[in-house]
Amino acid sequence: MKLTPKSVALIPIIATVATAAFGATLIAPPAANAATTLGAAAQQSGRYFGTAVAAGRLGDSTYVGILNREFDMVTAENEMKMDATEPNQNQFSFGNGDRILNQARNQGKRVRGHALAWHSQQPGWMQNMSGTALRNAMLNHVTQVATYYKGKIYAWDVVNEAYADGGSGGRRDSNLQRTGNDWIEAAFRAARAADPGAKLCYNDYNTDNWSDAKTQGVYRMVQDFKSRGVPIDCVGFQSHFNNNSPVPSNYQTTLQNFANLGVDVQITELDIEGSGSAQAQKFGNVTKACLAVSRCTGITVWGIRDSDSWRASGTPLLFDSSGNKKAAYNATLDALNAGGTGTDPTSTTTTTTTTTTTTTSNNPGTGGCTATVSLNQWNEGFVATVKVTAGSSALSGWAVTATVSNATVTSSWSANRSGNSGSVTFTNVDYNANVPAGGTTEFGFQGSGNGSGLNPSCSAR
Ligand code: 9MR
């Protein structure tokens, strides 16, 4: 074969496919320029940094200013719960959930859904139900809410807090539990059918200490689900800490042991009561624990300022009541900037049907950038995760153009997008514009149809 410019350009494609096929663990390069926001700092190792958001605070400019600047993932603090979304049976109400979701997505942030099924914050009509009627009402709720938000949610807390506190290691008694022990897997199956693109998580508190019976109970459930093919992709560790419930010394072990079952782990509601350097050190340690586990894909704090917290008197968050950064903020940012194990590429696998991962790359060139795509395709749709790698010079902005021939893009995150089919261009958002020489950042999009042949090309801007 004669080496034409075109065939030379194919060489990096082959090299990248080979790397992807072996799924090597990525070690994030040390940050050349420390990032100055939590979201940007987390993105350096392929992770997110999120916060709980309350719809009632979206008119507060200090709050929204910090939200837009610092975070790249959002959880509705109460607005997507059962009582909020189905106040009367079969009458759904998404106004406040949508306010939070749209605010986040308009800013290029992703959304964690919280929570589809829970013994608490049930609407009044559900609280007194039992048996088959309750089981069906719960499954209908999961199906309707996950369908409404289909394609817009990164991960759902499908079931929240189903295990008992204390030494039993068993399930918590509740009306849902009394419908039969299989209620949790039934909820996961319904969620998968409704939104195959969302990661599906089990979420709980007091599951941080590896020695606790509750932790072991949840671990056995996840192990059982994985062995029987019940669709579960992630486990959320709420991580509400204070003196009575301290950060355990084996926290990282717990995260790693769950990750070893083949699920992502996420810190979903982090807050740590305290102040000053003692609190800062704890936030730093929790962040480092996540960064040390390749399948720990992100951290969410449970509110922005101390005054926004569900336990404000414990001043458990990263910003004080005036919106100033606390020592805990600096410790968290520093830990994120210190880097860690890159996120595991296999963690993008979320589907029940066919999943193929293909990677294509354009010719690197000098001083520009390259884009590689990891595609997770199922029968009706796909999620594409695109990695942008800077060439020999730092980027202060980038544009990636992909060919969407047999599909329609339904949502995207961490990038601005023009169009939804044909030649679609994605450009950086504020927090991921700057990429150091040789460094990487990621964005993603989801679509219906066949996502093959995207052939992304990257240019500096
Ligand atoms: O922060 C939430 C608070 O505003 C609500 O009043 C409370 C009601 O149960 O729920 C809080 O959020 C909880 C979360 O949904 C699940 N884990 C525990 C959180 C703190 O209670």
Side-chain angles (χ1 to χ4, degrees):
M1 177 175 85
K2 225 174 114 192
L3 278 185
T4 62
K6 200 171 168 205
S7 56
V8 170
L10 284 171
I11 293 168
I13 304 180
I14 296 161
T16 316
V17 169
T19 313
F22 291 108
T25 300
L26 303 175
I27 305 296
N33 305 317
T36 55
T37 66
L38 299 166
Q43 283 191 17
Q44 294 171 121
S45 66
R47 294 178 172 80
Y48 64 82
F49 203 99
T51 180
V53 167
R57 295 189 202 273
L58 288 176
D60 176 335
S61 58
T62 305
Y63 181 88
V64 174
I66 301 171
L67 167 62
N68 289 351
R69 186 185 76 219
E70 295 286 343
F71 300 98
D72 61 351
M73 183 73 78
V74 157
T75 305
E77 186 173 0
N78 288 295
E79 293 77 354
M80 293 189 189
K81 292 174 179 175
M82 299 180 104
D83 58 351
T85 50
E86 196 178 356
N88 300 300
Q89 188 165 16
N90 255 320
Q91 278 181 6
F92 291 85
S93 167
F94 294 111
N96 282 329
D98 283 351
R99 252 165 233 129
I100 292 175
L101 179 115
N102 291 332
Q103 201 280 340
R105 285 161 54 86
N106 286 340
Q107 293 284 324
K109 304 177 198 305
R110 288 183 284 170
V111 177
R112 286 191 90 264
H114 173 79
L116 292 172
W118 191 17
H119 69 275
S120 183
Q121 282 184 276
Q122 290 183 359
W125 60 265
M126 185 182 272
Q127 290 171 21
N128 297 322
M129 288 179 87
S130 62
T132 308
L134 174 60
R135 173 66 68 94
N136 289 339
M138 181 275 287
L139 292 175
N140 182 53
H141 180 87
V142 170
T143 300
Q144 300 292 332
V145 176
T147 300
Y148 180 80
Y149 284 117
K150 181 177 177 175
K152 299 177 177 171
I153 300 289
Y154 163 72
W156 268 112
D157 291 332
V158 179
V159 169
N160 196 35
E161 302 177 1
Y163 272 74
D165 291 314
S168 77
R171 298 282 181 87
R172 170 195 297 278
D173 178 49
S174 72
N175 59 350
L176 290 169
Q177 181 62 29
R178 276 175 253 131
T179 68
N181 208 48
D182 62 346
W183 75 276
I184 298 182
E185 60 192 86
F188 274 82
R189 289 200 166 96
R192 178 68 98 222
D195 186 356
K199 288 178 187 286
L200 305 182
C201 304
Y202 175 78
N203 190 54
D204 214 329
Y205 66 92
N206 282 352
T207 48
D208 316 290
N209 190 322
W210 179 242
S211 311
D212 284 355
K214 186 171 176 180
T215 309
Q216 294 294 315
V218 174
Y219 179 84
R220 282 192 298 273
M221 176 185 74
V222 177
Q223 191 174 41
D224 170 52
F225 280 12
K226 292 302 285 185
S227 73
R228 291 190 292 115
V230 177
I232 184 168
D233 306 304
C234 37
V235 176
F237 296 82
Q238 293 184 10
S239 305
H240 294 294
F241 295 119
N242 59 19
N243 287 340
N244 295 326
S245 184
V247 184
S249 57
N250 58 21
Y251 186 61
Q252 184 183 319
T253 301
T254 304
L255 299 178
Q256 186 65 61
N257 286 345
F258 274 87
N260 291 346
L261 291 174
V263 287
D264 289 350
V265 294
Q266 298 165 358
I267 298 171
T268 51
E269 304 182 11
L270 179 63
D271 52 16
I272 309 176
E273 292 186 349
S275 61
S277 56
Q279 181 186 45
Q281 193 177 22
K282 292 171 192 168
F283 267 100
N285 287 343
V286 167
T287 305
K288 285 176 198 158
C290 177
L291 284 160
V293 175
S294 66
R295 290 197 80 153
C296 183
T297 57
I299 300 174
T300 294
V301 287
W302 206 238
I304 297 179
R305 299 162 300 193
D306 285 335
S307 50
D308 302 318
S309 170
W310 65 297
R311 43 183 193 175
S313 62
T315 61
L317 295 174
L318 301 178
F319 294 87
D320 71 17
S321 300
S322 308
N324 301 310
K325 296 170 181 174
K326 294 167 57 179
Y329 171 95
N330 293 325
T332 305
L333 184 68
D334 288 350
L336 293 169
N337 272 323
T341 312
T343 52
D344 186 335
T346 59
S347 66
T348 55
T349 302
T350 62
T351 63
T352 43
T353 49
T354 22
T355 297
T356 49
T357 300
T358 53
T359 305
T360 53
S361 166
N362 56 311
N363 194 339
T366 5
C369 50
T370 54
T372 57
V373 61
S374 167
L375 187 69
N376 181 6
Q377 177 78 49
W378 60 92
N379 286 349
E380 313 86 19
F382 65 92
V383 170
T385 305
V386 183
K387 184 190 279 187
V388 172
T389 304
S392 52
S393 311
L395 300 171
S396 55
W398 46 265
V400 171
T401 300
T403 308
V404 184
S405 341
N406 298 306
T408 307
V409 177
T410 50
S411 68
S412 48
W413 50 90
S414 304
N416 297 309
R417 170 168 52 95
S418 75
N420 57 12
S421 64
S423 177
V424 179
T425 298
F426 301 85
T427 52
N428 61 275
V429 285
D430 286 350
Y431 59 76
N432 62 18
N434 291 308
V435 185
T440 64
T441 189
E442 271 188 3
F443 70 94
F445 56 100
Q446 175 155 4
S448 54
N450 188 333
S452 64
L454 292 168
N455 284 326
S457 67
C458 186
S459 58
R461 61 193 280 266

